[in-house]
């Protein structure tokens, strides 16, 4: 497969028993890009990312990650990828410094002059803001501090590709902002390709170069945040009335449309309204319908809105 | 640099670190002291009771069997709990995410569980030598202790690792691990001679390594004459070597497969599901 792409997915399907979780997913992620996999809970985000991490075996389809099939990838491939896990109580007696040193050790044989592995532990602790807490038992860290340690462990091997599954779930707004800064620094500093999942549109817009929206087991949109917004916002709805009779029209250029309206009807135009649908509204509608159990209809509707 | 060998070295280091953390934790110290006091208390109360036909007191006869039981129990239940817990809390998954991490992780378990026996045995052995007479019949017995311990560990630890890999959750280790081990310990001639049990139980007990671990320990500590109490009236040293050896070989063949299967199935979703189950359980 082509090497400008860190990830290439074609016709990916996943089925648990009778339940189709992914029904044919296609996408590519370019090297160095930050890509967000956005979607409501149960849309198949975690399944997708776990297949790409090589932790889960897919039912069908072609997947290439850094040039290898993750289901059969070797330990050299493993050394080039990083996974940020959502831990909850592992290594309670270890300290952050000791654990980073221990796990980082596995990357030493994979060090190259261009990409020295692992990261220097002190430098990494500084990057994630844990220097002060480096020698405290991990059991005594707060949820947010623990998650920063999870990120540090994920990147200790200086990965070319980093996976993050719902990295900010359970964060307060402050921790979330700090985390976003960290992700941007990572991507800027090392040209690391980053794939992260979230159910938060705002987060996706802030972090991603491109956003994939997953619903009903398939991709319903694949675009830049700005592109997504402009697709939804392309057509505005214009409502007005003339002598008590109500009219509705959609217009790509509502300002021009209204100018024309006034030129034609002048003072007779009344009750004028211009409704610009926003990405957020469309996404919220998608989530609501998805959570009501009608995943297929939700995916369909969203495709029409953005299509 | 050879990456797999390097990972095994890291695993040894990790096992040592975990061991140091364990003996420094009050929780683990409490466990060692508790089992130690229990055993010593029992032996002390019966220090003046003679075992019929041997001229030996209960502590001399019972101590080797109890040491055997502590080893078997420790290296079965220890890894069973450790693996069941660490596949739930994400420790296993962390190692799956680094190159050759699983080799390092399983090495560390082997090192940690073996080292864990040292304080366990010392806390019973050292006071026993101070409190009781005739604990070790002849110094040559230490050689037997060494090989019985080593082989016994290789024979029983895989059982613990397999239980830990197969149990669906940590809470099930009690049912699937503790209970069978208790039953096996009960029938393995540690608390009373197997010959006094029904014939089929006697045969069953001798299929499992726990019985032979106890027998081997008795052969190390007790004088030649005490063999009269055993099945066939001898220590059956070659049989001990054979049965423990067979279990060790079986373990070496089966365990890596089971561990690989467990690691393959380990995912973030599984860890997440365990976390949610634990939260439910605490409520």
């Amino acid at each position: 497969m082509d090497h400008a792409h860190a990830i290439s997915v074609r016709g990916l399907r996943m089925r648990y028993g009778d339940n189709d979780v992914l029904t044919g997913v296609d996408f590519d992620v370019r090297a160095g890009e930050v890509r967000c996999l956005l979607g409501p809970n149960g849309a198949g985000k975690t399944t997708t990312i776990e297949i790409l991490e090589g932790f889960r075996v897919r039912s069908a389809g072609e997947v290439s990650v850094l040039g290898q099939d993750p289901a059969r990838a070797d330990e050299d491939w493993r050394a080039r990828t990083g996974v940020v896990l959502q831990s909850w109580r592992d290594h309670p007696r270890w300290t952050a410094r000791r654990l980073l040193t221990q796990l980082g050790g596995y990357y030493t044989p994979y060090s190259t002059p261009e990409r020295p592995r692992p990261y220097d532990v002190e430098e990494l602790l500084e990057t994630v803001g844990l220097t002060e807490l480096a020698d405290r038992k991990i059991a005594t860290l707060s949820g947010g501090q623990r998650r920063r340690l999870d990120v540090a462990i994920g990147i200790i091997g200086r990965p070319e590709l980093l996976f993050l599954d719902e990295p900010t779930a359970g964060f307060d707004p402050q921790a979330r902002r700090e985390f976003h800064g960290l992700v941007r620094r990572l991507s800027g500093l090392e040209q690391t390709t980053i794939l992260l999942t979230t159910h938060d549109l705002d987060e996706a817009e802030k972090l991603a170069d491109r956003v994939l929206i997953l619903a009903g087991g398939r991709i319903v949109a694949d675009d830049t945040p700005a592109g997504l917004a402009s697709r939804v916002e392309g057509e505005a709805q214009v409502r007005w009335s003339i002598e008590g009779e109500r009219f509705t029209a959609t217009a790509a250029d509502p300002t021009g449309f209204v100018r024309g309206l006034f030129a034609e009807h002048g003072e007779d135009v009344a009750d004028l309204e211009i409704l610009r649908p926003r990405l957020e509204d469309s996404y919220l509608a998608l989530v609501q319908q998805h959570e009501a159990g009608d995943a297929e209809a939700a995916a369909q509707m969203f495709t029409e809105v953005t299509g | 640099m050879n990456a797999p060998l390097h990972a095994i070295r890291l695993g040894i280091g990790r096992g040592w670190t975990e061991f140091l953390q364990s003996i420094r934790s009050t929780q683990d110290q409490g466990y060692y002291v508790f089992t130690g006091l229990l055993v010593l208390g029992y032996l002390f109360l019966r220090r003046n009771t003679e075992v019929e036909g041997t001229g030996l007191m209960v502590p001399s006869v019972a101590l080797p069997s109890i040491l055997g039981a502590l080893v078997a129990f420790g290296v079965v239940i220890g890894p069973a709990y450790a693996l069941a817990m660490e596949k739930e809390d994400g420790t296993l998954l962390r190692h799956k995410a680094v190159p050759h991490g699983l080799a390092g992780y399983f090495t560390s378990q082997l090192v940690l569980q073996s080292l864990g026996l040292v304080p366990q045995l010392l806390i019973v052995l050292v006071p026993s030598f101070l409190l009781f007479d005739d604990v070790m019949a002849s110094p040559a017995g230490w050689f037997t202790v060494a090989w019985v311990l080593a082989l016994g560990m290789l024979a029983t630890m895989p059982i613990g690792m397999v239980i830990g890999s197969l149990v669906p959750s940590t809470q099930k280790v009690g049912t699937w691990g503790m209970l069978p081990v208790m039953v096996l310990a009960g029938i393995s001639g540690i608390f009373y001679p197997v010959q006094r049990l029904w014939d089929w139980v006697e045969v069953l007990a001798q299929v499992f390594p726990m019985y032979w671990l106890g027998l081997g320990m008795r052969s190390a500590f007790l004088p030649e004459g005490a063999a009269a109490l055993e099945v066939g009236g001898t220590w059956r040293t070659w049989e001990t070597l054979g049965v423990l050896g067979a279990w060790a070989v079986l373990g070496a063949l089966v365990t890596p497969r089971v561990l690989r299967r467990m690691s393959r199935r380990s995912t973030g979703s599984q860890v997440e599901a365990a976390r949610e189950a634990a939260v439910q359980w605490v409520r």
Side-chain angles (χ1 to χ4, degrees):
Chain A
M1 275 192 201
D2 106 55
H3 283 278
H5 288 146
I7 300 176
S8 213
V9 176
R10 290 290 172 273
L12 175 62
R13 293 175 165 275
M14 189 73 200
R15 156 174 277 239
Y16 301 111
D18 290 338
N19 186 17
D20 283 307
V21 178
L22 299 175
T23 59
V25 168
D26 304 275
F27 67 92
D28 297 305
V29 178
R30 274 185 295 112
E33 180 175 42
V34 178
R35 178 65 70 100
C36 239
L37 204 52
L38 175 70
N41 292 326
K45 301 187 299 284
T46 296
T47 301
T48 306
I49 204 168
E50 284 183 350
I51 289 169
L52 299 177
E53 289 164 351
F55 287 175
R56 202 173 270 285
V57 179
R58 61 187 181 272
S59 306
E62 271 180 65
V63 177
S64 163
V65 176
L66 296 178
Q68 288 197 38
D69 176 350
R72 280 188 286 275
D74 52 23
E75 301 289 326
D76 296 6
W77 176 87
R78 184 56 74 198
R80 299 168 62 202
T81 60
V83 182
V84 174
L85 296 162
Q86 293 197 33
S87 66
W88 49 298
R89 61 169 193 204
D90 65 305
H91 296 93
R93 290 169 180 173
W94 290 66
T95 65
R97 179 176 282 125
R98 207 177 283 148
L99 186 59
L100 280 171
T101 310
Q102 157 80 28
L103 290 173
Y106 288 96
Y107 294 92
T108 318
Y110 300 94
S111 187
T112 61
E114 311 84 67
R115 226 175 168 91
R117 294 182 161 112
Y119 255 109
D120 178 61
V121 170
E122 299 309 316
E123 203 181 305
L124 189 54
L125 283 166
E126 187 70 47
T127 307
V128 298
L130 286 177
T131 305
E132 313 279 300
L133 305 166
D135 294 311
R136 286 239 313 250
K137 277 190 183 166
I138 293 173
T140 65
L141 300 184
S142 75
Q145 292 161 347
R146 244 197 116 106
R147 190 55 61 75
R148 279 185 271 155
L149 175 62
D150 288 338
V151 173
I153 293 171
I155 61 178
I156 182 83
R158 218 181 278 263
E160 291 155 52
L161 169 63
L162 182 66
F163 296 104
L164 303 115
D165 191 10
E166 299 272 348
T168 58
F171 272 25
D172 59 39
Q174 172 66 18
R176 186 178 295 248
R177 191 159 56 235
E178 284 173 12
F179 181 81
H180 290 171
L182 178 60
V183 170
R184 276 194 220 100
R185 239 176 308 155
L186 265 179
S187 118
L189 216 65
E190 302 279 345
Q191 305 299 303
T192 313
T193 311
I194 298 178
L195 179 69
L196 65 101
T197 70
T198 180
H199 57 261
D200 182 359
L201 174 67
D202 183 52
E203 183 161 278
E205 285 182 309
K206 278 192 178 127
L207 288 177
D209 295 321
R210 281 183 85 86
V211 180
L212 281 165
I213 301 182
L214 199 62
R218 61 199 173 89
I219 305 283
V220 295
D222 178 357
D223 209 334
T224 61
L228 270 181
S230 71
R231 275 211 256 173
V232 173
E233 286 160 15
E235 299 254 297
Q237 201 177 51
V238 184
R239 290 183 196 160
W240 71 97
S241 69
I242 294 172
E243 290 163 2
E245 196 182 344
R246 302 199 131 270
F247 297 93
T248 306
T250 53
D253 169 23
T255 314
F257 182 86
V258 171
R259 198 179 292 119
L261 205 61
F262 279 114
E264 195 176 327
H265 301 285
E267 305 239 330
D268 293 339
V269 178
D271 302 320
L272 179 68
E273 272 184 288
I274 300 173
L275 301 170
R276 286 181 177 274
R278 293 182 325 161
L279 180 56
E280 199 183 347
D281 300 322
S282 308
Y283 181 65
L284 279 178
L286 167 84
V287 172
Q288 265 165 16
Q289 204 164 359
H290 205 281
E291 281 175 358
D294 202 349
E296 189 42 50
Q300 192 61 41
M301 180 213 76
F302 196 84
T303 316
E304 277 164 21
V305 172
T306 54
Chain B
M1 195 184 297
N2 181 316
L5 272 182
H6 177 71
I8 287 169
R9 265 202 301 278
L10 285 170
I12 294 171
R14 177 186 163 85
W16 176 249
T17 306
E18 292 244 275
F19 173 65
L20 291 183
Q21 285 168 352
S22 151
I23 53 175
R24 280 185 203 135
S25 97
T26 40
Q27 195 188 342
D28 291 21
Q29 286 165 359
Y31 171 76
Y32 292 135
V33 170
F34 175 75
T35 51
L37 285 179
L38 212 64
V39 169
L40 291 169
Y42 166 77
L43 294 179
F44 191 75
L45 288 176
R46 311 208 44 198
R47 68 191 178 282
N48 292 324
T49 315
E50 194 184 315
V51 180
E52 293 170 60
T54 58
L56 291 165
M57 298 300 169
V58 164
S60 313
V61 178
L63 182 67
S65 305
I66 289 172
L67 291 177
L70 282 177
V71 171
F73 195 75
V75 298
V76 173
I77 296 305
Y81 263 113
L83 289 190
M85 207 148 88
E86 296 188 341
K87 74 180 173 194
E88 281 187 358
D89 70 16
T91 307
L92 182 74
L93 197 59
R94 277 213 195 291
H95 287 85
K96 198 177 158 179
V98 301
H100 296 288
L102 290 172
Y105 172 73
F106 292 124
T107 306
S108 78
Q109 276 298 322
L110 208 67
V111 171
L112 169 67
Q113 302 296 342
S114 312
L115 287 175
L117 285 179
V118 175
Q120 180 79 87
L121 293 179
L122 285 183
I123 205 155
V124 175
L125 262 182
V126 172
S128 294
F129 272 99
L130 300 175
L131 288 170
F132 314 120
D133 300 323
D134 306 321
V135 172
M136 175 60 90
S138 106
W142 288 113
F143 173 71
T144 315
V145 172
W147 74 254
V148 169
L149 267 184
L151 199 57
M153 236 159 56
L154 291 177
T156 45
M157 202 186 299
I159 301 176
M161 291 197 159
V162 168
I163 293 172
S165 304
L166 297 181
V167 285
S169 75
T170 313
Q171 287 119 43
K172 296 274 159 49
V173 176
T175 323
W176 297 106
M178 209 78 119
L179 216 61
V181 174
M182 298 276 232
V183 170
L184 282 179
I187 62 172
S188 289
I190 286 159
F191 302 106
Y192 31 82
V194 278
Q195 302 93 307
R196 285 200 216 140
L197 301 167
W198 299 302
D199 286 349
W200 68 269
V201 178
E202 188 185 331
V203 172
L204 185 72
Q206 293 181 54
V207 171
F208 289 96
M210 284 75 177
Y211 169 81
W212 299 95
L213 192 50
L215 177 66
M217 291 300 263
R218 288 196 291 280
S219 81
F221 281 87
L222 297 178
E224 214 37 63
L229 293 177
E230 304 294 339
V231 175
T234 78
W235 292 124
R236 295 198 284 172
T237 305
W238 290 110
E239 287 91 330
T240 306
L241 205 62
V243 176
L244 290 182
W247 274 93
V249 170
L250 183 71
L253 290 177
V254 171
T255 321
R257 273 158 227 240
V258 178
L259 293 179
R260 222 170 286 141
R261 174 180 172 274
M262 169 179 75
S263 321
R264 246 203 327 273
R265 295 159 67 106
S266 175
T267 61
S269 320
Q270 188 196 22
V271 171
E272 179 61 19
R275 188 177 69 87
E276 270 164 24
V279 172
Q280 295 278 324
W281 194 64
V282 173
R283 273 184 205 149

